Amino acid sequence: MPTRTARTAWNGTLEQGGGQVELTSSGVATFDVSFPKRAADNADGTTSPEELIAAAHSSCFAMQLSALIAEAGGTPQSLEVKADVSLGPDTPGFKLTGILLTVRGEVEGLDADGFAKAAQAAKESCPVSKALTGVEITLDAALES
């Protein structure tokens, strides 16, 4: 399996500095990062480690869930996955305080219970969930009617 790479160039102090994170392996984007905007309610055009973790987690979970639905005999028509990653104070500094995975799915061949079981198994087995075992991860999973 390949190794993927991102690179961050940072200038200045935490409070006044800023940087850019580059998705090096794919080359698809470079994003501005700033601690004051990371800690603010409005990101104002910058990303943060928490948003990048949310992107990684939601996409990893969606892939794992689609595989587990198929293993359970279902066919995923569509999955909408959102990851909310929270940052809070710690001593010293900060820590991730929780992750909420919300998934809504249209699935053929599985009932609500089967979908919930597949979603729980995906939460526990996707590689990003495994990497984030030090953070409480909660799940809200439901089929769309």
Side-chain angles (χ1 to χ4, degrees), residues 38-140:
R38 176 185 186 185
D41 288 333
N42 183 348
D44 195 30
T46 66
T47 194
S48 66
E50 295 73 37
E51 185 176 41
L52 295 169
I53 289 169
H57 205 175
S58 66
S59 60
C60 183
F61 176 86
M63 290 180 210
Q64 185 71 358
L65 179 56
S66 68
L68 294 176
I69 288 169
E71 284 180 18
T75 304
Q77 299 301 307
S78 68
L79 299 171
E80 181 75 27
V81 179
K82 182 175 82 160
D84 295 306
V85 177
S86 299
L87 179 70
D90 195 20
T91 305
F94 300 89
K95 68 178 181 177
L96 299 183
T97 57
I99 299 172
L100 170 60
L101 291 172
T102 304
V103 59
R104 298 296 178 261
E106 291 182 32
V107 176
E108 291 180 3
L110 284 185
D111 61 11
D113 186 53
F115 180 73
K117 286 179 183 173
Q120 183 63 36
K123 180 191 109 166
E124 294 167 3
S125 63
C126 97
V128 173
S129 288
K130 290 177 183 180
L132 296 170
T133 57
V135 181
E136 181 181 359
I137 301 169
T138 55
L139 176 64
D140 174 3

